[in-house]
Structures are given as structure tokens and as C-alpha cells.
């Protein structure tokens, strides 16, 4: 599955939206990817999971994904590679592995995200994997928003699609300055 095919599917399913949105990071953007318009289809999710696993040649033993948005894609990538899945959940504002998820020393782990903007969640999961004594082989994602606010993730990033989009802090958002109505279509913030 190449980038053009992924974009085509996103557009056909109404997942690629334009307007004024608040992202889960709290930043604002004129582009939003409503990934669940594609991930709600199991066969399509399976294809995306296979393609994500192929980004790292299925050379990993486990997948680690942050809850909630990336769990479905992480599961599909783990299934494609015959790997197991560990889920990082928020506890007191920080991502942690709960429910007995653990890794063997030096176990090769692929961190799977859905959409990477700032990369904060992916970076946190990479750090958790490393702190557990395992080896993060990389970060794989459906979409890289190409945000300039992103810093190093601590592992190589490979994605099915690279969208060149902008995001802004609310104070610097040109759409807010123009009073364009703000939508919050899928934020995981409480």
C-alpha cells in the first residue's frame, strides 16, 4: 500500500478534513485526520496494519501502542507480524504500562502510533520500552503530519503517509485570529 493509495482511501472515507481543529496535543491545525473513518473497517485496518508492519520488515517481537487511538492499528500490525501487543495507558497524566505488560531484556519492540504530530506520545512509549530493558526498533505510523514542533522520537520514524501540515499553539493560531470556528472532532483530552 503506497502513500497515494492511503491518501485516496482517507479521502474516500471522509477521514481527511480541512477547517480549524484542536488536536489531541492541544495545538490547532487546518487539517485533521479522523483516522477512525478508516479504522472502523476491519479489513481495511488489517491492510494498514500489514503495511505498517512492513515498514520495519516485520522484524520485531512485540508492538507497543499508546491508548486509545493507536490500539487498533497496533493490534493489526502485531497480528500481521505474529507479534504480541502491549498498550501504554495514561495514569496521572503520564503513559505507563499496566495490566502486566512487560518485555524481555533486549526484546525488539515496534512502537505503533496512528497519527504523529508533535510525537510526544510516541516518544513517551519509546522511553517506556527502553526503561523496561527492551529495544525500540522504531516508530511506525499511519500518518506523519510533518509538524515542525516535533522533536526527536528516540527511534527512527517511518510512516505510510507524510502530510505537510502546520499546527500552532492557540495563542499563535492564525485561524483563531480570523475567528474561524474551532472544532474538536476527536481529541483524547479530558
Amino acid at each position: 500500500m503506497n502513500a497515494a493509495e492511503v491518501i485516496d482511501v482517507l479521502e474516500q472515507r471522509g477521514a481527511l478534513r480541512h477547517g480549524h481543529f484542536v488536536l489531541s496535543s492541544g495545538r490547532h491545525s487546518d487539517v485533521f485526520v479522523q483516522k477512525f473513518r478508516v479504522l472502523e473497517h476491519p479489513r481495511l485496518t488489517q491492510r494498514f496494519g500489514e503495511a505498517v508492519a512492513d515498514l520495519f520488515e516485520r522484524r520485531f517481537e512485540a508492538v507497543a501502542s499508546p491508548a486509545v487511538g493507536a490500539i487498533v492499528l497496533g493490534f493489526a500490525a502485531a497480528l500481521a507480524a505474529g507479534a504480541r501487543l502491549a498498550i501504554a495507558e495514561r495514569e496521572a497524566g503520564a503513559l505507563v504500562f499496566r495490566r502486566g505488560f512487560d518485555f524481555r531484556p533486549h526484546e525488539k519492540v515496534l512502537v505503533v502510533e496512528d497519527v504523529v504530530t508533535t510525537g510526544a506520545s510516541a516518544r513517551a512509549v519509546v522511553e517506556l520500552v527502553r526503561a523496561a530493558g527492551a529495544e525500540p526498533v522504531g516508530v511506525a505510523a499511519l500518518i506523519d503530519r510533518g509538524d515542525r514542533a516535533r522533536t526527536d522520537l528516540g527511534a527512527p520514524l517511518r510512516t505510510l503517509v507524510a502530510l505537510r501540515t502546520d499546527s500552532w499553539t492557540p495563542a499563535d493560531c492564525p485561524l483563531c485570529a480570523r475567528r474561524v470556528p474551532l472544532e474538536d472532532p476527536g481529541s483524547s483530552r479530558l
Side-chain angles (χ1 to χ4, degrees):
M1 186 168 248
N2 64 40
E5 291 172 319
V6 173
I7 291 288
D8 187 49
V9 169
L10 292 171
E11 289 176 343
Q12 285 178 13
R13 302 287 179 170
L16 193 56
R17 299 184 53 201
H18 299 275
H20 181 197
F21 306 99
V22 62
L23 306 175
S24 61
S25 65
R27 295 177 67 82
H28 291 195
S29 181
D30 59 350
V31 175
F32 186 81
V33 181
Q34 184 54 274
K35 64 207 170 257
F36 283 108
R37 292 299 64 83
V38 292
L39 297 180
E40 67 187 351
H41 301 281
R43 294 273 188 237
L44 186 53
T45 301
Q46 182 179 18
R47 287 181 55 211
F48 282 144
E50 290 166 354
V52 163
D54 288 344
L55 291 171
F56 285 86
E57 299 169 349
R58 302 184 189 201
R59 293 186 180 169
F60 49 89
E61 302 161 277
V63 167
S65 290
V68 168
I71 293 173
V72 175
L73 187 60
F75 176 85
L79 181 65
R84 63 190 185 86
L85 173 66
I87 299 166
E89 301 173 75
R90 293 218 179 265
E91 186 173 272
L95 283 168
V96 296
F97 289 118
R98 298 175 30 201
R99 305 174 199 278
F101 290 122
D102 202 2
F103 302 100
R104 295 184 318 277
H106 309 291
E107 184 173 15
K108 294 187 181 325
V109 180
L110 180 65
V111 174
V112 174
E113 253 290 21
D114 45 18
V115 179
V116 176
T117 300
T118 65
S121 293
R123 185 174 39 261
V125 175
V126 166
E127 291 169 4
L128 287 173
V129 167
R130 195 167 276 127
E135 179 187 338
V137 297
V139 175
L142 179 62
I143 296 169
D144 172 10
R145 289 180 47 89
D147 198 283
R148 286 174 256 166
R150 184 174 59 236
T151 58
D152 180 35
L153 299 180
L157 172 65
R158 297 181 190 158
T159 62
L160 298 182
V161 172
L163 292 176
R164 296 298 162 226
T165 64
D166 287 316
S167 73
W168 310 274
T169 64
D172 295 327
C173 179
L175 301 171
C176 286
R178 294 194 331 249
R179 300 185 194 276
V180 175
L182 179 66
E183 294 181 59
D184 190 355
S187 173
S188 61
R189 291 175 294 110
L190 298 175

